[in-house]
Amino acid sequence: MEKIIGLDGVASLNSLFGVGDANLKLLEEELKVKIALKPQGIVVSGDKFHVRKASDFLYKIAQLETDGFKFNREDICRYLNSVDVIGQESVGPGVRVPSRKKKMVLPETRGQEDYIESMQHSDIVFCTGPAGTGKTYLAMAMAVNYLTEKRVSRIILTRPAIEAAGESLGFLPGTMQEKLGPYLRPLYDALYDMMEAEVIENYLETGVIEIVPLAYMRGRTLNNAFVILDEAQNCTGEQIKMFLTRLGFESKTVITGDMTQSDLPGGKATGLMDAVKILKPIRGIKFVTLSKKDVVRHPLIQKIIQAYEDYYKEERV
């Protein structure tokens, strides 16, 4: 079977196919079809089932290209993961991050889709799950989206700084931003992946993007802001309560954490777990739990998480 996808401006799909059609082989292997770009449009050939699925996939990509989004190989791999081409429904729409990078951040699992929808519709969202599930990355994408769409006037990033013995933040050299840099590196990495460096630096200087240690949030009321508390498993119950009561009008708050990786000293109970139990009955607060099924890093990460779960389960028996 052969199908032609006739699209205006189909030449703009050069970024999808890559330089010298470098991405074409990947697309053909994953979609199980043959794909060619001809004057009349995109020609997809193969068996009926895969041609239909591949055509739907390419049409969605073409629409994003028309909107100005440029795809590299990594983006294509992510989108291939996020769009089911074997018969089930695809996951929902992604988060547009309007900038010169023209980036579209897409949910790659059902859990991530639920997370994105929760952030869109709830003012306070708790997201827990293991490393690699996109907790921080998707929260940052949503924050950048809200800022660029002028739905908030600033982004505030915070996390508890678990200090090494004898090493207090107050005695470390440099500005507060420099002191907190290592603690907040995952947030920085996500931020620089979505915005231009010069824009970020300007926003940091003017306070449009603010990075503060959790302890410095006391006494503040955060209006018209998108606030992210990262690594919340390292918060005490008192810290979580203090943070949540900072929320002001026209603001969004996202709290992320992995309950299996607390660094609190002396085996102290994590306040994140208590907060989930205490606040569960409150309408308007959304709780999203991601699992190893939502891990979207290297495939070995899922196996590593499963291996640890199996090991500790056997130890408890």
Side-chain angles (χ1 to χ4, degrees):
M1 178 182 177
E2 184 175 280
K3 184 174 182 178
I4 299 175
I5 304 174
L7 298 168
D8 294 334
V10 74
S12 68
L13 290 172
N14 286 336
S15 71
L16 171 62
F17 290 159
V19 178
D21 291 344
N23 297 332
L24 205 54
K25 185 177 180 180
L26 170 66
L27 287 165
E28 290 179 333
E29 287 178 355
E30 293 294 328
L31 300 173
K32 296 180 174 58
V33 293
K34 290 293 183 182
I35 305 169
L37 183 60
K38 296 185 178 180
Q40 64 268 39
I42 304 172
V43 179
V44 184
S45 56
D47 68 72
K48 183 177 180 180
F49 176 81
H50 289 104
V51 166
R52 180 171 60 84
K53 294 300 177 184
S55 298
D56 290 345
F57 172 84
L58 290 169
Y59 182 77
K60 291 175 183 177
I61 287 285
Q63 292 303 304
L64 293 173
E65 287 271 349
T66 302
D67 290 342
F69 292 93
K70 304 302 178 185
F71 289 84
N72 56 32
R73 189 176 182 84
E74 181 182 355
D75 294 328
I76 292 169
C77 288
R78 287 182 178 277
Y79 200 37
L80 280 168
N81 287 334
S82 70
V83 177
D84 192 333
V85 295
I86 59 172
Q88 299 175 358
E89 293 182 1
S90 63
V91 298
V95 181
R96 293 176 185 265
V97 184
S99 72
R100 283 187 296 166
K101 292 190 175 184
K102 298 290 186 181
K103 191 171 184 63
M104 170 71 83
V105 179
L106 298 158
E108 300 179 37
T109 67
R110 299 294 177 184
Q112 289 189 352
E113 178 185 5
D114 183 36
Y115 184 26
I116 287 176
E117 290 180 352
S118 297
M119 288 189 287
Q120 290 171 333
H121 300 127
S122 301
D123 288 340
I124 298 178
V125 177
F126 284 81
C127 182
T128 58
T133 51
K135 302 183 301 294
T136 300
Y137 194 83
L138 291 174
M140 184 62 74
M142 189 62 69
V144 171
N145 173 273
Y146 267 62
L147 181 65
T148 52
E149 295 288 340
K150 301 188 187 303
R151 300 173 70 179
V152 297
S153 60
R154 54 182 173 156
I155 296 173
I156 299 174
L157 313 174
T158 186
R159 59 162 288 178
I162 301 296
E163 301 168 352
E167 189 179 67
S168 173
L169 281 175
F171 291 98
L172 292 176
T175 64
M176 182 58 65
Q177 185 178 325
E178 291 168 339
K179 291 175 183 180
L180 283 172
Y183 294 97
L184 291 156
R185 180 49 53 191
L187 292 172
Y188 275 116
D189 290 344
L191 192 57
Y192 277 92
D193 193 39
M194 297 172 197
M195 301 179 75
E196 296 75 14
E198 61 271 20
V199 175
I200 295 171
E201 297 304 321
N202 177 60
Y203 282 169
L204 288 170
E205 289 179 7
T206 58
V208 173
I209 296 178
E210 188 179 351
I211 301 173
V212 293
L214 182 59
Y216 283 47
M217 300 287 282
R218 294 185 184 278
R220 302 184 63 182
T221 300
L222 306 174
N223 294 315
N224 199 227
F226 198 111
V227 191
I228 300 173
L229 170 58
D230 197 36
E231 299 290 336
Q233 75 275 2
N234 292 327
C235 293
T236 64
E238 292 79 7
Q239 286 176 318
I240 291 277
K241 178 182 176 183
M242 178 275 293
F243 173 76
L244 289 172
T245 54
R246 303 306 95 204
L247 183 65
F249 293 103
E250 305 298 326
S251 289
K252 289 264 186 182
T253 294
V254 179
I255 301 98
T256 69
D258 179 355
M259 293 187 189
T260 67
Q261 294 191 6
S262 175
D263 296 320
L264 287 172
K268 189 182 296 186
T270 172
L272 179 59
M273 188 177 297
D274 289 340
V276 171
K277 293 177 182 176
I278 294 168
L279 303 175
K280 199 79 171 180
I282 299 179
R283 294 184 62 182
I285 300 179
K286 181 70 175 180
F287 298 87
V288 178
T289 302
L290 302 178
S291 69
K292 60 180 177 291
K293 294 180 181 179
D294 299 296
V295 172
V296 292
R297 292 180 181 172
H298 194 286
L300 280 175
I301 301 266
Q302 286 190 8
K303 295 180 181 179
I304 290 170
I305 293 170
Q306 184 63 56
Y308 271 95
E309 287 182 358
D310 293 342
Y311 176 80
Y312 287 117
K313 188 182 299 181
E314 290 175 5
E315 271 200 339
R316 289 193 295 267
V317 173

